[in-house]
Amino acid sequence: VHPEAIHHIGHAVDDLPAAIDVYERLLGGEVEHRETVPAQGVEAVSMRVGSGRIELLRPLGEDTPVGKFLANRGPGMHHVAYLVSDIRASLREAAEAGAELIDPEPRPGLFGLEVAFIHPGSVAGVLVEYVQYGRNGDGSS
Amino acid sequence: VHPEAIHHIGHAVDDLPAAIDVYERLLGGEVEHRETVPAQGVEAVSMRVGSGRIELLRPLGEDTPVGKFLANRGPGMHHVAYLVSDIRASLREAAEAGAELIDPEPRPGLFGLEVAFIHPGSVAGVLVEYVQYGRNGDGSS
């Protein structure tokens, strides 16, 4: 059960309004969803750029996954999310192929999505997220 | 003249066969094109993952742009490429919006594409490439 498409690119930023402005002015981006999730330590904004999608992530504190990423690497690309139709089957097959799963079971993600992450060490340095649409169908929360 | 779509994600790697293997096994990727361009210091492989596209980049030497990226950051996401229909107009508009252009004029890129890069400092830390299909239409070289 392989990915159907790239669902989004996660982009870690420290200044969310400035990043939204850049995507709007330079790339014609349009805000799709916004959500703050204290449990995950992020304020997130989903933007469409043409048919593509960028997920802007601002950490709510330094001691969060995105906060640590920013402290180590600075603003930039954080992960690539692939849309799958059966996330449990995709995770099982990835594990059988030798991937190190950060989330052995899917969990609730941003914007009502079911998500699971694969360790970047298994994908040549890229943090990969599997995304499956949840009950609302379109990923809105 | 804003982007129509995300054309590909550039992924810098040090071991190209291993990276191809990972995309094939974990993500069902399929090799689309291969090209070695000594003038740009890279060996590149374009892969489809579902409807998405990953461009694997292996540097031909340490003193190349991708070689320096790998030395500084290690393997990982290198750039995001957006498909545009009129690359000169997109560059002009990006410059008017305040973007720092690495390539003020489009130049021949990989796989027969016309390309131009925007400095990551202008896009919250993400190296952005504009891509326009060249004479061969489909981007094949």
Side-chain angles (χ1 to χ4, degrees), chain B residues 2 5 13 16 31 40-41 44 46 66 96 101 105 107 109:
Chain B
H2 289 306
V13 302
L16 205 41
V31 171
Q40 298 186 28
S46 175
V66 177
E96 287 169 0
L101 308 183
E105 296 289 330
R107 60 179 174 80

Side-chain angles (χ1 to χ4, degrees), chain A residues 2-6 9 11-13 19 22-28 49-54 73 75-80 82 94 97 99 122-126 128 130, chain B residues 2-6 9 11-13 19 22-28 49-54 73 75-80 82 94 97 99 122-126 128 130:
Chain A
H2 289 306
E4 298 167 8
I6 294 172
I9 299 169
H11 181 174
V13 302
V22 159
Y23 274 101
E24 288 177 342
R25 287 186 306 108
L26 293 194
L27 296 165
V49 181
S51 62
R53 184 182 284 110
I54 300 292
R73 309 275 299 241
M77 285 180 278
H78 179 266
H79 66 267
V80 178
Y82 290 96
S122 298
V123 195
V126 172
V128 163
Y130 284 158
Chain B
H2 289 306
E4 298 167 8
I6 294 173
I9 299 169
H11 181 175
V13 302
V22 159
Y23 274 101
E24 287 177 342
R25 286 187 306 110
L26 290 194
L27 296 163
V49 181
S51 62
R53 184 183 283 109
I54 299 292
R73 311 274 298 240
M77 284 179 277
H78 179 265
H79 66 267
V80 178
Y82 290 96
S122 297
V123 194
V126 173
V128 164
Y130 284 158

Side-chain angles (χ1 to χ4, degrees), chain B residues 26-41:
Chain B
L26 290 194
L27 296 163
E30 297 183 6
V31 171
E32 180 182 37
H33 303 300
R34 291 170 178 261
E35 191 176 17
T36 300
V37 185
Q40 298 186 28

Side-chain angles (χ1 to χ4, degrees), chain A residues 8-63:
Chain A
H8 67 262
I9 299 169
H11 181 174
V13 302
D14 46 20
D15 185 334
L16 205 40
I20 292 169
D21 183 60
V22 159
Y23 274 101
E24 288 177 342
R25 287 186 306 108
L26 293 194
L27 296 165
E30 297 182 8
V31 172
E32 182 184 35
H33 303 298
R34 291 170 179 262
E35 191 176 18
T36 300
V37 184
Q40 299 186 26
V42 292
E43 180 180 1
V45 172
S46 176
M47 299 193 75
R48 301 308 301 254
V49 181
S51 62
R53 184 182 284 110
I54 300 292
E55 186 177 280
L56 297 173
L57 301 168
R58 184 186 71 83
L60 296 178
E62 291 178 13
D63 194 27

